[in-house]
Amino acid sequence: MVDSTHTIHVDVVSAEESIFSGEARFVALPGEAGELGIYPRHTPLITRVRPGSVRIEKADGGEEFVFVAGGILEVQPNRVTVLSDTAIRGKDLDEEKANEARRAAEEALKNAHSEIDIAKAQSELAVMAAQIAALRKYRQKK
């Protein structure tokens, strides 16, 4: 049995499915104001999450990596919840598809005419760059 005073329950949920649900010793992720590290019994917090890697140090000592394309983080003393429109397990990241999507976003940025088109293309480009960085980070840890 897991000692609940030394772990925190973590849920990472995308619009489509639950990506991770389990006990962890530590969670690190890109918060709106910088990198956040969360241990059990953390002070309650709600903040936005920037695109990037969520690193979960599981209760059994293993690690789980999840890429999120931004979202919302809620922290309670015994629970961490990450809600994201897009979340992909590290092992499921595909560098070729990410590079293809990045090239498409760069092309859209070149061809954008309105401020809305430019902002949308810049946002997509930032997400793809973060996904590629997360993939490389995940591969280094393997």
Side-chain angles (χ1 to χ4, degrees):
M1 180 161 167
V2 176
D3 179 358
S4 64
T5 61
H6 299 298
T7 63
I8 190 166
H9 186 81
V10 179
D11 288 307
V12 179
V13 182
S14 76
E16 293 88 31
E17 64 180 316
S18 173
I19 301 295
F20 177 86
S21 183
E23 296 299 311
R25 295 180 192 165
F26 177 74
V27 180
L29 69 160
E32 186 175 40
E35 195 72 14
L36 291 169
I38 301 160
Y39 285 99
R41 298 187 307 275
H42 192 285
T43 303
L45 167 72
I46 294 179
T47 188
R48 284 189 279 230
V49 177
R50 288 182 294 119
S53 295
V54 177
R55 182 176 66 84
I56 303 162
E57 185 183 308
K58 298 189 301 187
D60 66 7
E63 278 191 330
E64 183 81 24
F65 283 87
V66 178
F67 168 77
V68 293
I72 301 291
L73 167 70
E74 178 189 16
V75 178
Q76 293 296 325
N78 61 351
R79 179 176 292 271
V80 172
T81 305
V82 179
L83 303 173
S84 181
D85 284 341
T86 302
I88 306 168
R89 290 172 191 87
K91 65 182 182 194
D92 295 335
L93 287 171
D94 183 326
E95 188 167 12
E96 188 175 317
K97 283 183 183 176
N99 280 320
E100 191 176 300
R102 186 189 71 201
R103 285 189 291 276
E106 288 169 344
E107 191 63 30
L109 186 57
K110 285 181 196 170
N111 297 325
H113 297 293
S114 72
E115 286 184 29
I116 291 173
D117 290 343
I118 291 169
K120 185 177 178 185
Q122 286 174 330
S123 174
E124 185 65 25
L125 189 56
V127 168
M128 288 300 101
Q131 185 173 335
I132 292 165
L135 176 64
R136 290 179 180 150
K137 189 184 288 187
Y138 171 72
R139 285 189 179 153
Q140 287 175 349
K141 297 286 182 180
K142 284 176 63 177

